[in-house]
Amino acid sequence: MLVNLWYVAEWSKNVKDKPVKTKMLGQNFVLFRDSNGVAKCLSDVCLHRGGSLGNGFIGTNKKDCVACPYHGWEFSGEGMVEYIPSLGEKGVIPSKARVDSYPVEERYGMIWVFMGDLEKSKRYPIPPFPEFDDPKWKAVTCEFTWDASAERVVENGIDLAHASFVHPGFGYPETAHLNKIASVDRHEWWATQTSITYPPLLKGGPLNLRRLLRKDKQETRVHNTFYMSGFTIRLEIEINSRMTTLLLDANTPVDEHTTKSYLIQLRNFFKWDMFDKDTIRRTMQVFQQDADIIEAASPYYLPETLENEMSVKQDRFMSVWREMRRKHIEKGWQIDVEQMKKISKHKVLNIPSPARRENPDKYMIETVPLVAGVQPVRLVLDDQDVA
Ligand code: FES
Ligand SMILES: [Fe+2]
């Protein structure tokens, strides 16, 4: 699990007038809105006696605060204790009475939280999704929770070759050899590939839509992008010259073995509401087909190198993902999960926040251990390297 990235913490519509508890990177957080409706995110653990702020309430004494359910301490959106009921109105608040507060942005109906202490200018942006507000597109949303690590979920989402076997709606084994990667374009925090696939024309479906959309075994172009921000995948499927479907899913590591995917799907055809339900049903079916495979894959976590695994040409984009992830581990952004679990039994740990970087002495709760000193490994194979 990597720090210093944006992750989706919740759908915007789910955070209203009460605190909402959410878990990311193995830690709990509280989301709430101030009186202007601006979303805030704090570490969930109260530094008094460990109460869970997410189970608390909106502050009654101080404006724009969340209150701990245990003894009623009130915390501002910046994580500062503003009021301690047992000390009364005139009570002096200790200077270390604060918890980590994280940058929040609302985009695409999602609450994005920056999980780390990098200064603003060094953070990768939230992935672009310009089509989201464009009336040309019809949107549906859904979510899926995986018993799998986020790294595995992302790798599966950008894997070209599995569709022929795992998703009968997108491919079939007889045409597996025809699917190919047309191009790969790599950047510091994202990469994109275009591939050519030959999905089948299945019988049935609502009103037999597939027959209206395209011919059997018609070439379909798929543009697949991953972003380090949010462990996000964008999938653009050009069904034909007029019909495209676009998916954006942010894959939040809830903990090292659980991932929550927040998905927005857009289509520029059949935009009537009557088609929404079936679109969601089919998307969930696809997620479940993937989950059946990756929840049973070994080893449980994504391997750190390509040792003990064989790669072929069609796996190239997955190697790009693994290498980019690996580069961020080498930067020292990887949480030392084993160590974190050991310490967490007796001690609360927080993901470091930007304000803590400026004032480290003002925080009582320690930060999660990170893996240091990781040596560089080359993971992207040239075409001549692959079998
Ligand atoms: S534990 Fe939060 S106020 Fe006491
Ligand atoms: Fe899949």
Side-chain angles (χ1 to χ4, degrees):
M1 295 189 292
L2 296 172
V3 297
N4 285 326
L5 295 174
W6 292 97
Y7 291 107
V8 172
E10 190 44 271
W11 295 108
S12 293
K13 64 177 190 299
N14 291 346
V15 182
K16 295 180 188 137
D17 52 357
K18 288 190 182 69
V20 171
K21 193 163 161 172
T22 189
K23 191 174 178 185
M24 296 179 282
L25 304 179
Q27 305 296 330
N28 288 322
F29 301 88
V30 57
L31 301 167
F32 66 102
R33 292 188 185 279
D34 69 14
S35 50
N36 294 317
V38 178
K40 305 285 179 181
C41 179
L42 307 181
S43 162
D44 182 64
V45 182
C46 174
L47 80 169
H48 178 220
R49 289 295 180 270
S52 168
L53 300 179
N55 294 338
F57 49 92
I58 297 300
T60 45
N61 288 280
K62 296 285 169 183
K63 223 172 141 228
D64 301 332
C65 281
V66 62
C68 177
Y70 205 171
H71 311 93
W73 290 22
E74 297 189 10
F75 296 77
S76 72
E78 284 63 55
M80 311 295 286
V81 175
E82 299 281 345
Y83 181 62
I84 299 178
S86 60
L87 296 180
E89 276 297 342
K90 295 209 174 94
V92 178
I93 311 286
S95 71
K96 286 191 178 180
R98 61 183 79 188
V99 297
D100 288 275
S101 158
Y102 303 91
V104 176
E105 294 268 348
E106 290 195 68
R107 215 69 74 75
Y108 324 132
M110 299 159 156
I111 297 181
W112 295 76
V113 178
F114 189 76
M115 288 277 89
D117 62 356
L118 272 194
E119 53 199 89
K120 202 169 179 184
S121 62
K122 295 195 174 142
R123 294 173 206 157
Y124 301 145
I126 290 169
F129 193 32
E131 297 86 352
F132 180 73
D133 292 321
D134 187 333
K136 275 199 309 222
W137 299 87
K138 177 72 162 67
V140 293
T141 61
C142 51
E143 59 187 54
F144 190 86
T145 301
W146 312 71
D147 176 13
S149 73
E151 287 87 354
R152 280 257 183 228
V153 171
V154 173
E155 180 168 270
N156 170 266
I158 60 170
D159 177 3
L160 167 66
H162 82 289
S164 308
F165 294 87
V166 178
H167 306 304
F170 295 124
Y172 42 175
E174 304 90 82
T175 55
H177 64 290
L178 299 174
N179 299 342
K180 57 178 181 289
I181 298 175
S183 64
V184 171
D185 185 18
R186 302 167 62 176
H187 301 266
E188 188 194 353
W189 63 282
W190 61 280
T192 190
Q193 81 167 351
T194 295
S195 49
I196 316 270
T197 64
Y198 297 89
L201 181 66
L202 294 180
K203 293 193 183 80
L207 310 179
N208 221 347
L209 282 181
R210 289 168 192 279
R211 287 180 193 285
L212 301 173
L213 299 181
R214 60 176 161 76
K215 299 190 195 77
D216 197 12
K217 296 184 190 176
Q218 180 185 307
E219 176 181 304
T220 301
R221 291 184 93 77
V222 179
H223 307 280
N224 204 183
T225 307
F226 70 80
Y227 304 90
M228 293 304 294
S229 298
F231 272 28
T232 305
I233 300 172
R234 176 190 159 108
L235 186 62
E236 182 175 345
I237 304 171
E238 289 178 36
I239 300 164
N240 62 35
S241 57
R242 284 165 293 113
M243 296 173 174
T244 297
T245 180
L246 262 178
L247 291 92
L248 189 93
D249 58 298
N251 300 288
T252 304
V254 173
D255 55 32
E256 72 277 19
H257 50 74
T258 315
T259 304
K260 189 163 172 186
S261 298
Y262 296 84
L263 178 121
I264 300 169
Q265 183 169 7
L266 305 182
R267 60 183 191 272
N268 65 355
F269 54 93
F270 300 136
K271 291 195 274 181
W272 306 284
D273 292 349
M274 62 185 277
F275 292 108
D276 288 357
K277 210 169 145 195
D278 195 61
T279 305
I280 294 171
R281 185 190 59 76
R282 276 185 283 116
T283 303
M284 297 303 275
Q285 198 176 42
V286 168
F287 272 133
Q288 191 55 55
Q289 289 162 346
D290 285 322
D292 289 345
I293 296 292
I294 63 167
E295 290 179 1
S298 297
Y300 191 89
Y301 301 112
L302 200 66
E304 297 292 331
T305 70
L306 296 179
E307 277 170 30
N308 303 320
E309 282 185 333
M310 183 170 281
S311 298
V312 294
K313 277 183 190 169
Q314 280 197 349
D315 305 325
R316 205 164 130 233
F317 197 48
M318 289 188 280
S319 302
V320 171
W321 155 246
R322 284 199 186 184
E323 183 164 89
M324 198 176 290
R325 169 185 168 256
R326 175 82 190 185
K327 285 212 160 83
H328 291 82
I329 294 173
E330 288 159 15
K331 280 174 185 249
W333 291 7
Q334 168 101 315
I335 295 173
D336 186 338
V337 172
E338 292 312 313
Q339 197 57 18
M340 177 174 81
K341 284 202 295 205
K342 217 190 275 175
I343 304 171
S344 303
K345 287 187 181 149
H346 303 284
K347 213 183 239 185
V348 176
L349 294 171
N350 279 178
I351 304 294
S353 62
R356 180 194 282 263
R357 176 178 280 242
E358 281 163 30
N359 263 317
D361 301 339
K362 294 286 185 195
Y363 290 80
M364 293 182 64
I365 294 173
E366 286 174 31
T367 56
V368 293
L370 300 173
V371 179
V374 181
Q375 294 306 307
V377 173
R378 180 169 165 262
L379 290 177
V380 177
L381 303 175
D382 296 331
D383 280 352
Q384 59 265 35
D385 291 340
V386 295

